[in-house]
Amino acid sequence: MKTVKKKKVTILYNHLWQGWADDELVFSNAGETKKVKADVVVFALGGASWKVTGSDGNWTNYFNEKGVNTNKFFPSNCAYQVNWNPNFIKTYQGSPLKNCGFTCGNISRKGEAVVTEFGIEGSGIYPLSPEIRKQLIQNKSANIQIDFKPDLPLEEIIERIENKGKLSIKEVLEKKINLSTTQIELLKLSSSKDEYSNVQFLSELIKSYPLHITGFAPMDDAISTVGGIALDEVTDSLELKKLPNHYCLGEMLDWDAPTGGYLLQACFSMGKFLADKLNTK
Ligand SMILES: Cc1cc2nc3c(=O)[nH]c(=O)nc-3n(C[C@H](O)[C@H](O)[C@H](O)COP(=O)(O)OP(=O)(O)OC[C@H]3O[C@@H](n4cnc5c(N)ncnc54)[C@H](O)[C@@H]3O)c2cc1C
């Protein structure tokens, strides 16, 4: 902040950018319209979720009018809808699925997820977002597989169940495989009585539990969005090809990353990269 003050930077709060009038930027503030002519413009307008923070994605038209292409926004790093069995979800909503492996298409991650009334979300699911989104857009549904025991090979699970002695199947799943009651209930829901007592079938289900995703969470609830300014509209220096001396960075550009620091790091890195570039101009 000391450097910012030393350099006589003026920060104008609550100024809503509303596009261009000829080559001037138009802002509204407290009912007044202000026009600004700038040598260099850096846009960092964010994505289109959590509108309460001001990031509403309402600026795409302004760029389109200048011939700059934007892509439709979609939620990323969000919860996904699952049509759970109503009796199951009544009892198990809010339960975690810990230390699992999650796979969608060719993306696999270890992590955890929470079963919610709406569907499923969490650190194991968010990184699958690009593939889940691709399938949801193409097919209106997506398929993920959950490995309830990613550190136990299939053969080991089979052996433990086969050597269950006097334990019931439920007891062996609890005591020898260490599955939670939520996981055991899911296994029961996805198998017939015969399948549940078939060692091979049950072991394979533990290693690859299928979950059908039927939709995205509402956009505004998503941690981040994809869409916005198409990447081929900017140069390697983040300058708009059709508007020289106008730069875009951060989530307003159409790229994706898993949450957990990667989104913020990418935004900070773009900011530092561009500041270094512009300060040597
Ligand atoms: C709940 C939540 C949790 C998150 N957790 C993580 C996390 O753990 N790790 C991680 O890496 N990322 C996380 N993220 C994502 C991360 O915060 C964003 O990717 C990042 O803040 C984007 O930075 P940005 O500067 O591009 O946009 P933003 O931070 O969204 O800033 C854009 C700014 O532009 C302003 N603006 C928009 N339109 C106009 C306009 N027309 N005129 C004037 N101003 C305008 C907005 O008011 C806003 O202040 C989280 C996001 C949310 C919502």
Side-chain angles (χ1 to χ4, degrees):
M1 205 58 191
K2 224 167 141 188
T3 315
V4 168
K5 276 187 185 156
K6 212 165 100 191
K7 299 218 169 190
K8 298 195 174 118
V9 172
T10 308
I11 298 176
L12 300 174
Y13 295 100
N14 295 316
H15 281 61
L16 183 69
W17 176 58
Q18 295 187 306
W20 285 272
D22 299 320
D23 57 350
E24 289 183 315
L25 296 155
V26 179
F27 293 90
S28 79
N29 168 247
E32 276 183 39
T33 299
K34 292 183 185 171
K35 290 185 184 169
V36 175
K37 198 169 167 82
D39 297 329
V40 173
V41 182
V42 178
F43 292 105
L45 300 173
S49 62
W50 284 69
K51 291 184 173 34
V52 69
T53 63
S55 305
D56 54 18
N58 283 344
W59 38 262
T60 52
N61 278 348
Y62 309 143
F63 289 95
N64 297 156
E65 282 161 13
K66 292 276 183 189
V68 177
N69 289 325
T70 53
N71 294 332
K72 194 176 165 196
F73 288 111
F74 283 98
S76 191
N77 291 290
C78 62
Y80 293 97
Q81 191 171 29
V82 177
N83 293 332
W84 298 113
N85 172 300
N87 289 329
F88 165 80
I89 203 59
K90 220 185 280 170
T91 310
Y92 292 98
Q93 60 174 303
S95 311
L97 297 171
K98 289 193 174 172
N99 301 319
C100 291
F102 298 88
T103 298
C104 185
N106 55 9
I107 307 179
S108 293
R109 286 291 184 283
K110 273 192 196 172
E112 65 177 69
V114 182
V115 168
T116 67
E117 196 179 1
F118 176 75
I120 192 160
E121 64 182 297
S123 66
I125 297 289
Y126 297 146
L128 310 183
S129 291
E131 184 62 34
I132 296 177
R133 183 169 55 248
K134 193 173 104 190
Q135 292 189 20
L136 279 175
I137 292 170
Q138 270 172 13
N139 314 324
K140 295 199 162 59
S141 67
N143 293 308
I144 67 173
Q145 294 82 38
I146 310 177
D147 183 346
F148 288 155
K149 282 282 146 193
D151 298 326
L152 272 189
L154 177 67
E155 299 71 34
E156 177 69 28
I157 293 176
I158 291 174
E159 200 186 310
R160 289 190 195 185
I161 302 179
E162 273 176 346
N163 297 322
K164 68 185 182 64
K166 287 185 177 163
L167 295 177
S168 68
I169 293 180
K170 185 168 183 282
E171 284 169 336
V172 83
L173 294 178
E174 272 170 1
K175 293 179 183 161
K176 287 191 160 193
I177 319 267
N178 290 324
L179 293 182
S180 67
T181 47
T182 313
Q183 289 168 324
I184 295 172
E185 199 54 36
L186 284 172
L187 294 173
K188 276 191 196 159
L189 278 175
S190 296
S191 49
S192 66
K193 217 171 167 185
D194 284 349
E195 286 168 342
Y196 186 69
S197 47
N198 177 317
V199 177
Q200 183 75 29
F201 182 92
L202 189 60
S203 304
E204 284 175 9
L205 198 57
I206 292 168
K207 290 299 287 174
S208 185
Y209 185 84
L211 199 63
H212 193 62
I213 304 281
T214 53
F216 296 100
M219 178 110 76
D220 205 35
D221 295 346
I223 288 176
S224 66
T225 54
V226 291
I229 304 280
L231 282 185
D232 59 7
E233 289 289 348
V234 292
T235 65
D236 287 349
S237 303
L238 305 174
E239 187 173 15
L240 284 167
K241 291 175 187 169
K242 289 167 191 149
L243 291 173
N245 292 319
H246 289 66
Y247 298 82
C248 293
L249 57 83
E251 211 182 303
M252 70 180 295
L253 291 171
D254 187 9
W255 54 277
D256 201 12
T259 182
Y262 300 99
L263 293 154
L264 286 168
Q265 180 61 57
C267 294
F268 294 148
S269 299
M270 283 187 240
K272 166 84 171 92
F273 165 81
L274 192 54
D276 287 349
K277 181 192 148 56
L278 293 177
N279 282 328
T280 56
K281 252 194 160 188

